[in-house]
Amino acid sequence: METSKKYLVGIYDDEDVLLKAVKKVRSSGVKIHECYTPFPIHGLDVALGHKRSRLPIAAFMFGLTGTTCAVLMISLMMGYDWPMIIGGKPFVPIPDLVPVSFELTVLFAALGMVATFLITNNLWPGKRPLMFDSRSTDNKFVMAVDLSKNKLAADEITSILKNFGATEVNTKQVEIK
Amino acid sequence: MSHVVSPVRQPLIIGNKTYADITDDVCKQVEGKPTKTWMICFTIAVLTLAYGSYCLFYTWWEGIGVWGLNKTIGWAWDITNFVWWVGIGHAGTLISAILLLFRQKWRTSINRAAEAMTIFAVLCAASFILAHMGRPWLAHWALPLPNTYGSLWVNFNSPLVWDVFAISTYLTVSLVFWYLGMIPDLATIRDRAQNKVSKFAYGALSFGWNGSAKTWARYESVSLILAGLSTPLVLSVHTIVSFDFATSVIPGWHTTIFPPYFVAGAIFSGFAMVLTLMLITREVFNLKEYITINHVESMNKIIILTGSIVGVAYITEFFVAWYSGVPYESYAFVNRATGPYWWAYWSMMTCNVISPQLLWIRKIRTSVVATFILSIIVNIGMWFERFVIIATSLHRDYLPSSWAMFYPTMYDIGDYIFSFGLFFTLFLLFAKFLPVINMAEVKAILKSSSAPKVVEKKGAGVVSDRQTKPAFNKDADNI
């Protein structure tokens, strides 16, 4: 079922203006859908009220999985499945486990974390992006307000956005699948 | 756009850029037709690759008997080239990861091209692993895969197996790091694309990126952790490559100094190659306002540091060989300096120890021509370093009757040429079809680290939007 939603899109020329505007717009009782910027702006996620990312925890867990897999794999292969009996050396020499275990820890952590990042952000090859204004990947800073989630009228929100520095405010109809 | 300008540091981006200027400047070569210079360079690179491919194919077809190896020198150019390329591949991730962790903003203009260089250099290194296997179609035997001969696994005690894991992990993580960093810029190109093919290609490649604040916050978190993971990875890879030698019992190889010495050498040669490429790129694509003399000087300072570390390592090796009291060890080093390969040893010393010291002179380290020449000299020197370590240690073994010399055949040389062809073909394709400068990161530092935007005021002519003009700005404008 396809429905469409109406958004108000405020365009800003400067990231500092946007950052201040986000705080003021929120305090005026307007719920912001999301902001779109050409580069990361520090503090914007906090201003928008986003929670802190838990990706570091994911990376740690994936890394731990990598270490465990590596140590188990090498121990099983070298010590159990095909023990190499050379000069009375131990079947599973701990120092020799280190390089491969380290590499697999990094590999699992990096790939696992990036995969988690792509999945949580719903990014995949060929995905059609939800763009409110194509200039947001170039030089403009965009604030999108979902009209269905706000009690204020479109005109009121428009004037609030303009009061806090938006150079233009457009309406955008977005198809939600 | 207001500027916050440091009173002590030179601006990193000059030319009074705006965000839109950065997008235009970087996208220009991606969107436009290939230039004549690019076409000429690409043709030469492809021809080199074609000749090299023939030599590599012949090596695979006939076996490595076509090389100039003998029973005494069982490793020569193949391992020399392998270690050299892996070393070159270290600066990219180093620039991206370690300089990111140290908050060095000057990395932003050069990190993308350096990361690309890493990936292509590691591919070249991998080609030598495959080549010296002799039977490259059995390359998968180096992986711990179940096989039809029973429970036979790779030997995890062998540094060559560690190499397989180290290099493949390094390649994979570097590739992921590079690509992830490129997604926001690919989205920028997608949103500017005019024709259908570009729209489709960059649309597919940009993963539906729209630059939402939530995605950016997570993206930054991922970048930082990837940098944290890559930093020890960079150090581990060359350490493990050095274990190929250090865990053996050959005089001249069996030394504990090898891991840090190899890592320093890798950074040294990697930065030299980044400089060689970046100086050409800034010239050909007219990116002098993004890759400034400031950047060149910063990289040169790293070259002085790592070059000096390498010099100290050479002297330490000599000292320890003498101090150990082992006659074989002492002989190996005296033979390096005065034996039949003296020319290789002294080429290495001249290129790696003496010539980078010229960079202490400010005029030289801020000169594009001098830097370009020195960067090539350093790369030649680092190739000789690996050749000296490998060939001179092998050519005199414990049995004088087996003493021998190594003479490269056309296939040794051809396989080396192959790697150059591959490297430059890939780099030129990258420079044409992908953004060579990380637009998003450069935009992020524009306010704090660039020359101020010039704004037009009615009746007042052109004035800067900054109130006071620091003293350095005069120099910056002249660069």
Side-chain angles (χ1 to χ4, degrees), chain B residues 245-246 248 250 252-259 261 317 320 329 333:
Chain B
F245 305 100
S248 73
I250 309 276
W253 285 6
H254 186 55
T255 50
T256 47
I257 201 175
F258 262 30
Y261 156 40
E317 267 192 318
V320 172
E329 199 73 30
F333 282 89

Side-chain angles (χ1 to χ4, degrees), chain B residues 63-309:
Chain B
I64 53 172
V66 298
W67 287 344
L69 303 174
N70 48 55
K71 278 186 181 172
T72 312
I73 305 180
W75 277 1
W77 276 41
D78 49 339
I79 303 292
T80 304
N81 298 340
F82 160 68
V83 183
W84 188 70
W85 277 116
V86 173
I88 285 172
H90 275 58
T93 309
L94 187 100
I95 287 173
S96 298
I98 298 181
L99 297 184
L100 177 69
L101 293 181
F102 282 111
R103 309 274 179 210
Q104 291 295 308
K105 288 179 179 171
W106 60 270
R107 61 178 272 287
T108 52
S109 291
I110 50 168
N111 67 346
R112 171 73 46 74
E115 284 165 30
M117 185 198 79
T118 288
I119 290 152
F120 307 147
V122 174
L123 286 177
C124 291
S127 77
F128 288 102
I129 297 182
L130 285 181
H132 89 257
M133 277 180 170
R135 289 181 291 168
W137 50 94
L138 300 178
H140 60 280
W141 281 11
L143 300 169
L145 296 170
N147 61 67
T148 49
Y149 306 115
S151 315
L152 184 64
W153 300 105
V154 288
N155 183 3
F156 285 98
N157 298 323
S158 161
L160 294 173
V161 170
W162 306 345
D163 254 359
V164 172
F165 280 88
I167 307 283
S168 48
T169 301
Y170 186 56
L171 181 65
T172 315
V173 174
S174 300
L175 201 64
V176 167
F177 201 8
W178 178 62
Y179 195 80
L180 195 72
M182 215 152 43
I183 290 177
D185 287 359
L186 290 170
T188 306
I189 301 174
R190 171 200 68 202
D191 293 338
R192 288 165 55 96
Q194 298 295 329
N195 62 56
K196 267 188 179 175
V197 179
S198 294
K199 267 185 191 159
F200 174 77
Y202 292 108
L205 291 171
S206 58
F207 283 38
W209 178 272
N210 60 5
S212 74
K214 190 177 259 179
T215 317
W216 271 123
R218 287 173 178 161
Y219 174 87
E220 287 228 287
S221 179
V222 168
S223 301
L224 207 63
I225 300 165
L226 269 183
L229 288 168
S230 305
T231 304
L233 184 65
V234 173
L235 305 182
S236 82
V237 173
H238 229 62
T239 300
I240 290 174
V241 168
S242 84
F243 285 163
D244 293 346
F245 305 100
T247 58
S248 73
V249 287
I250 309 276
W253 285 6
H254 186 55
T255 50
T256 47
I257 201 175
F258 262 30
Y261 156 40
F262 266 49
V263 171
I267 297 165
F268 184 49
S269 63
F271 266 87
M273 192 57 124
V274 170
L275 270 172
T276 313
L277 290 175
M278 293 319 285
L279 291 177
I280 299 172
T281 310
R282 84 194 272 275
E283 226 28 79
V284 174
F285 293 141
N286 199 18
L287 294 168
K288 287 175 193 160
E289 285 154 340
Y290 298 94
I291 305 158
T292 64
I293 295 297
N294 223 342
H295 291 92
V296 174
E297 194 181 357
S298 299
M299 285 192 270
N300 274 334
K301 284 177 184 169
I302 292 186
I303 291 196
I304 304 174
L305 173 73
T306 47
S308 304
I309 295 174

Side-chain angles (χ1 to χ4, degrees), chain B residues 360-376:
Chain B
W360 286 103
I361 304 161
R362 190 164 189 271
K363 219 172 183 178
I364 294 180
R365 72 168 183 268
T366 51
S367 151
V368 172
V369 179
T371 304
F372 185 71
I373 295 167
L374 278 173
S375 70
I376 291 172

